Amino acid sequence: FFLSSFLLEVAQMPATLAGVIILLAECIDGFSDPVVGKLSDETRTKWGRRRPWMFIGSFPLCVFFWLLFFVPPLDVYGLFVYYLLICAVVKF
């Protein structure tokens, strides 16, 4: 919800590109969720099925969440690629 406002007001991206970023990130999320769900269902450790995934995923999530709200000095299309990659990783 706040990502669109951030992309429009802080990153100064055109509304069309901000919408495409969110749309593509959601589409990537739609394909990756079943894959990661199956992998986590098949994981068997002494800590359980989900805890290793949450522990390992928490560190990259912190880094990429910070990068999500960082505005690099790029042109509009550079920002588009940057935020598309970061949003896809955060949604993953």
Side-chain angles (χ1 to χ4, degrees), residues 6 15 20 36-37 41 43 59 63 67 72 79 82 85:
F6 174 80
V20 169
V36 173
D41 286 344
T43 300
F59 299 112
V63 172
L67 289 173
L79 286 174
Y82 173 80
L85 294 174

Side-chain angles (χ1 to χ4, degrees), residues 16-33:
T16 306
L17 292 179
V20 169
I21 288 171
I22 294 170
L23 173 70
L24 291 176
E26 290 292 331
C27 290
I28 292 168
D29 182 50
F31 286 108
S32 68
D33 277 353

Side-chain angles (χ1 to χ4, degrees), residues 39-78:
L39 289 173
S40 72
D41 286 344
E42 294 173 354
T43 300
R44 303 277 185 234
T45 66
K46 66 180 180 181
W47 301 289
R49 295 188 306 184
R50 309 287 192 262
R51 281 194 192 120
W53 288 90
M54 291 187 288
F55 180 72
I56 293 169
S58 63
F59 299 112
L61 179 63
C62 291
V63 172
F64 282 101
F65 196 75
W66 179 80
L67 289 173
L68 184 63
F69 294 102
F70 172 74
V71 182
L74 300 171
D75 65 337
V76 175
Y77 295 106

Side-chain angles (χ1 to χ4, degrees), residues 3-25:
L3 182 60
S4 60
S5 298
F6 174 80
L7 291 175
L8 293 173
E9 296 173 15
V10 178
Q12 298 292 314
M13 292 192 68
T16 306
L17 292 179
V20 169
I21 288 171
I22 294 170
L23 173 70
L24 291 176

